[in-house]
Amino acid sequence: MIKETPSLFVPSPSTNQGHSVDSFLNRHAQEFVFYGSGKAALYDGLAGLIEPGETVLVPAYLPDAVVEPLYDLELETEYYALEPSLAPDFVDLERRLDDDVIAVMSVNYFGFPHPGLDELRSIVADYGCYHVDDNAHAPLSVDGETVLGTRGHLGVTSLWKLFPVPDGAILYLNDEQAAEAYDPSSSAGVRDGFDGSDCRYLLKSAFRDVFDRNGTIRRSIDAILASRNDGRSVGGPRERYEKGKRPMSKLSAYVVEESDPRAIRQARRQNYLAWRRALESRDDVEFVFESLPEGICPQVAPVRAAGHEQFRAELDRCGVGGAKRWPRLSPRVREKPTYETATRLAREIVTLPVHQHIAPSTILDVGRQLRQ
């Protein structure tokens, strides 16, 4: 039986100076709640702040499923255009701001702060809107002394995009009004025990030995492995959203609790820089971000490749199966000339893996193969 944890809020004690993910969050966040998915967290975060029929502005360069919780809340969704740098097209953004707009979303793409974020925050404040800080890619990125995801009235971050876990997300409640309006649904918190989805993920995961060194998880789930079979498929945006309406799995909580954010950040930064060295001779490949600021934990190494299909074929030949284009845009974006920049970015940007279990030497070896 799945139950909510007795206390969903996690306090922020200043005396906790450990090096776990929990202590990292406690140091940097005011109030936060674990969830199974970021979209379920977004639903709960907005539910008490908005009314059906109000409008939320989101960037055009965004996966199609992100707006599903907004539809579930009966909100109107409107996309604003972006510049090639991923910064908002502020002329287009302000043109869309009117009395019906209740909130504006920013996105910290690929683990980096959203370009133009300070100006966006200023504009949103002038219009009296809520600011949603979509931080799905950057749970461990720190800009100065601020963890990404905590600069809006509320923020959402995804754990499964950085850790080898089946699910996991966090809702940040960064504003007193957002915290007071928050009413958790059954999707909030962490499941009490391991279940069938944990079993299947553990058995098929290449990382199972990393987070089960002493066999604790395997002993816990062996007894239920044969009797559980959800049989669910991934499906479309709506199906993926509905599937994520669950508390975070016990397996995910275990991995997060045992992880050192400093080591993960360092490993991913080393791999990001290894890709820069591996591709420095390629005139046809340009990194989306010119530098890797201190404190940033990249989710991937995003590059723009004019010959993206050929480049991906070369990477595949070298055994880089994780390189892909991102994201799958909404048809509403793909079909309008206003969003041509977002459509072009989605076509040309290739994301290169920097997972902490990849050795930098492996990436440099790919670079040597690409030069042959």
Side-chain angles (χ1 to χ4, degrees):
M1 181 177 179
I2 298 174
K3 298 179 181 178
E4 296 179 20
T5 54
S7 177
L8 294 172
F9 283 109
V10 182
S12 181
S14 59
T15 57
N16 189 345
Q17 297 298 318
H19 301 300
S20 69
V21 172
D22 278 350
S23 63
F24 168 83
L25 294 171
N26 285 328
R27 286 196 301 274
H28 289 286
Q30 296 181 34
E31 291 182 334
F32 62 90
V33 187
F34 288 113
Y35 278 80
S37 80
K39 288 182 280 293
L42 179 60
Y43 178 97
D44 276 13
L46 284 174
L49 297 174
I50 51 77
E51 298 291 340
E54 293 178 315
T55 300
V56 177
L57 299 185
V58 300
Y61 188 62
L62 196 70
D64 54 1
V66 172
V67 297
E68 288 299 329
L70 307 182
Y71 295 151
D72 203 8
L73 289 165
E74 300 181 16
L75 297 171
E76 299 294 328
T77 303
E78 192 169 340
Y79 293 91
Y80 63 85
L82 297 180
E83 301 288 353
S85 65
L86 295 178
D89 179 333
F90 289 109
V91 173
D92 185 67
L93 175 65
E94 291 203 70
R95 180 176 64 83
R96 298 176 187 278
L97 281 164
D98 56 32
D99 292 341
D100 293 330
V101 175
I102 189 67
V104 178
M105 177 184 290
S106 62
V107 176
N108 299 314
Y109 293 106
F110 310 118
F112 293 73
H114 192 157
L117 181 59
D118 288 341
E119 185 173 352
L120 182 145
R121 293 176 68 198
S122 177
I123 292 172
V124 170
D126 287 344
Y127 279 86
C129 299
Y130 295 113
H131 173 206
V132 179
D133 193 357
D134 185 329
N135 191 51
H137 290 172
L140 298 182
S141 284
V142 179
D143 184 18
E145 296 297 321
T146 304
V147 67
L148 299 189
T150 63
R151 284 181 166 150
H153 293 86
L154 59 92
V156 175
T157 199
S158 293
L159 298 171
W160 64 269
K161 295 183 179 180
L162 204 69
F163 298 88
V165 294
D167 63 6
I170 298 170
L171 171 65
Y172 292 119
L173 297 162
N174 311 314
D175 173 80
E176 183 177 351
Q177 185 176 1
E180 290 179 352
Y182 173 68
D183 183 17
S185 70
S186 60
S187 301
V190 178
R191 281 173 253 166
D192 284 343
F194 299 105
D195 62 16
S197 61
D198 289 330
C199 301
R200 288 187 298 277
Y201 183 86
L202 180 63
L203 293 180
K204 73 181 181 180
S205 173
F207 306 108
R208 59 185 178 272
D209 293 333
V210 174
F211 49 69
D212 194 25
R213 294 185 182 92
N214 61 8
T216 302
I217 297 176
R218 186 173 295 275
R219 287 195 298 272
S220 299
I221 66 176
D222 275 348
I224 60 174
L225 178 61
S227 62
R228 290 291 190 90
N229 181 17
D230 294 340
R232 292 171 294 181
S233 59
V234 174
R238 187 68 187 183
E239 290 76 12
R240 298 196 301 275
Y241 166 58
E242 293 293 339
K243 181 180 178 181
K245 289 183 177 181
R246 306 178 71 194
M248 188 166 78
S249 75
K250 187 72 172 180
L251 174 59
S252 297
Y254 178 92
V255 176
V256 170
E257 183 179 351
E258 296 296 315
S259 298
D260 181 347
R262 299 177 307 166
I264 294 172
R265 188 187 302 114
Q266 181 181 8
R268 284 180 169 264
R269 289 175 64 86
Q270 290 176 343
N271 286 334
Y272 182 95
L273 295 174
W275 276 117
R276 292 198 72 102
R277 294 195 297 273
L279 299 174
E280 60 187 357
S281 64
R282 297 285 299 238
D283 295 332
D284 60 334
V285 176
E286 175 186 3
F287 277 76
V288 171
F289 301 100
E290 295 181 359
S291 64
L292 179 61
E294 184 178 354
I296 297 305
C297 181
Q299 186 235 358
V300 293
V303 299
R304 294 186 66 174
H308 51 88
E309 295 292 353
Q310 178 180 341
F311 180 55
R312 290 173 64 207
E314 292 181 64
L315 291 168
D316 188 62
R317 173 177 57 82
C318 297
V320 185
K324 58 183 180 181
R325 289 187 294 177
W326 187 90
R328 179 168 57 186
L329 297 175
S330 165
R332 291 172 54 192
V333 171
R334 296 196 307 266
E335 294 168 359
K336 291 188 178 181
T338 304
Y339 308 121
E340 189 275 334
T341 296
T343 302
R344 186 174 70 253
L345 289 171
R347 183 172 61 249
E348 295 180 356
I349 288 182
V350 178
T351 60
L352 306 173
V354 298
H355 197 280
Q356 54 266 29
H357 295 290
I358 301 173
S361 59
T362 301
I363 295 172
L364 295 175
D365 183 60
V366 170
R368 286 188 287 270
Q369 294 181 57
L370 290 172
R371 290 191 291 270
Q372 293 176 359

